[in-house]
């Protein structure tokens, strides 16, 4: 069974530009989560989508947005990029049911803003 | 506020020895879940083990076990018989009432021969 996939692996942008990151969840998973991991730091929750709707968002400005498509894949958009947006962006998926509902992570997209 | 604290920035352990990675949490929710993830240098987060707040028994998964002490709000990860491939960052996380994961700052484990 294929795991969570993310594209691109690396993305280099300049300040002020927009970045689009993509995530495909594990087959059967309806929830997608986005996290930001700045260098040397833990993961910070960004966004959660389930069944096409935004369920929760972390403490990030509105220029971080996203959406979930009917096939449950998701896109994270970051507008007006700033230098401090440079980070590893991790996507995770889970199945919302009884039990652990553990989140399975993709390999991440490393965004560099120059 | 919900919070995860990992007080060990780095740990060293010799191959084949056991090691305990500390994690304490703070929440007022009666129902929560605790997770441990491993992050190798490649960056991918690998799910290791889960403990539910109502689980009576400590969770175990192969060489990983979770020492859950609810009254002390601790959820330490124990890795038995360490292997060189265990060298990585380890993150403790808690699923809060809104279903998002709150992560600690991580512990870098280095296993030496």
């Amino acid at each position: 069974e294929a795991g969570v996939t993310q594209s691109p692996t690396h993305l280099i942008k300049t300040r002020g530009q927009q970045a689009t990151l993509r995530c495909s969840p594990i087959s059967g998973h309806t929830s997608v989560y986005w996290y930001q991991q700045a260098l040397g730091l833990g993961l910070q929750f960004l966004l959660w989508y389930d069944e096409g709707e935004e369920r929760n968002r972390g403490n990030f400005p509105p220029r971080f947005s996203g959406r979930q498509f009917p096939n449950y894949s998701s896109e994270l958009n970051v507008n007006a990029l700033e230098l401090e947006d440079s980070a590893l962006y991790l996507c995770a998926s889970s199945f919302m049911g009884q039990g652990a509902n553990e989140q399975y992570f993709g390999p991440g997209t490393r965004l560099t803003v120059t | 506020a919900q919070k995860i604290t990992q007080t060990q920035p780095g740990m060293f352990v010799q191959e084949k020895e056991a090691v305990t990675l500390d994690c304490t949490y703070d929440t007022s929710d009666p129902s929560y879940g605790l997770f441990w993830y491993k992050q190798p240098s490649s960056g991918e987060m690998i799910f290791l083990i889960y403990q539910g707040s109502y689980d009576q028994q400590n969770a175990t998964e192969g060489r990983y076990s979770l020492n859950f002490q609810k009254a002390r709000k601790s959820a330490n990860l124990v890795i038995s018989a360490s292997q060189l491939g265990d060298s990585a960052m380890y993150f403790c996380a808690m699923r809060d009432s809104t279903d998002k994961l709150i992560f600690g700052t991580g512990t870098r484990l280095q296993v030496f021969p």
Side-chain angles (χ1 to χ4, degrees), chain A residues 4 33 35 37 40-45 48 55-58 88 90 96 99-108 110, chain B residues 33 35 37 39 41-47 49-51 89 91 95-106 108:
Chain A
V4 177
Y33 305 78
Y35 294 88
Q37 186 177 26
L41 298 178
L43 279 74
Q44 300 295 318
F45 168 73
W48 170 30
R55 301 294 185 183
N56 201 357
R57 70 177 289 128
L88 179 68
L90 289 161
M96 298 304 294
N101 297 334
E102 61 265 30
Q103 295 178 19
Y104 292 90
F105 284 78
R110 189 164 295 282
Chain B
F35 300 78
Y37 284 85
Q39 188 178 41
S41 55
S42 59
E44 187 170 350
M45 298 284 282
I46 301 167
F47 166 72
I49 196 166
Y50 165 81
Q51 180 85 41
M89 283 290 289
F91 290 95
R95 186 177 63 229
D96 71 3
S97 56
T98 66
D99 271 320
K100 69 177 183 285
L101 287 179
I102 300 166
F103 284 83
T105 51
R108 181 171 296 283

Side-chain angles (χ1 to χ4, degrees), chain B residues 44-63:
Chain B
E44 187 170 350
M45 298 284 282
I46 301 167
F47 166 72
L48 294 178
I49 196 166
Y50 165 81
Q51 180 85 41
S53 57
Y54 293 120
D55 293 342
Q56 298 293 319
Q57 306 272 0
N58 285 344
T60 59
E61 288 286 348
R63 295 187 297 112

Side-chain angles (χ1 to χ4, degrees), chain A residues 17-93:
Chain A
Q17 285 188 316
Q18 180 199 34
T20 298
L21 289 65
R22 295 180 178 83
C23 171
S24 291
I26 291 171
S27 177
H29 286 187
T30 60
S31 274
V32 170
Y33 305 78
W34 287 95
Y35 294 88
Q36 182 197 64
Q37 186 177 26
L39 189 63
L41 298 178
L43 279 74
Q44 300 295 318
F45 168 73
L46 261 168
L47 288 159
W48 170 30
Y49 292 96
D50 183 60
E51 298 283 1
E53 302 218 352
E54 183 181 299
R55 301 294 185 183
N56 201 357
R57 70 177 289 128
N59 194 21
F60 281 84
R63 57 191 187 81
F64 286 84
S65 65
R67 54 181 171 166
Q68 187 177 33
F69 299 99
N71 67 354
Y72 302 114
S73 67
S74 177
E75 204 172 78
L76 173 69
N77 295 294
V78 189
N79 294 319
L81 285 164
E82 299 179 1
L83 296 178
E84 52 265 33
D85 296 334
S86 295
L88 179 68
Y89 289 84
L90 289 161
C91 167
S93 74

Side-chain angles (χ1 to χ4, degrees), chain B residues 1-110:
Chain B
Q2 287 147 330
K3 189 179 177 182
I4 291 281
T5 302
Q6 294 180 255
T7 57
Q8 306 156 314
M11 290 284 286
F12 287 88
V13 65
Q14 190 167 30
E15 204 176 2
K16 298 179 185 153
E17 297 293 310
V19 63
T20 298
L21 306 183
D22 294 342
C23 172
T24 58
Y25 60 92
D26 191 16
T27 182
S28 55
D29 288 338
S31 178
Y32 50 89
L34 296 159
F35 300 78
W36 277 92
Y37 284 85
K38 172 184 177 182
Q39 188 178 41
S41 55
S42 59
E44 187 170 350
M45 298 284 282
I46 301 167
F47 166 72
L48 294 178
I49 196 166
Y50 165 81
Q51 180 85 41
S53 57
Y54 293 120
D55 293 342
Q56 298 293 319
Q57 306 272 0
N58 285 344
T60 59
E61 288 286 348
R63 295 187 297 112
Y64 304 108
S65 61
L66 201 153
N67 184 1
F68 181 46
Q69 298 189 43
K70 197 170 182 177
R72 298 177 64 181
K73 295 191 174 178
S74 75
N76 298 339
L77 177 70
V78 180
I79 305 175
S80 62
S82 297
Q83 301 172 356
L84 295 177
D86 293 335
S87 295
M89 283 290 289
Y90 287 81
F91 290 95
C92 179
M94 177 172 63
R95 186 177 63 229
D96 71 3
S97 56
T98 66
D99 271 320
K100 69 177 183 285
L101 287 179
I102 300 166
F103 284 83
T105 51
T107 296
R108 181 171 296 283
L109 176 66
Q110 295 191 53

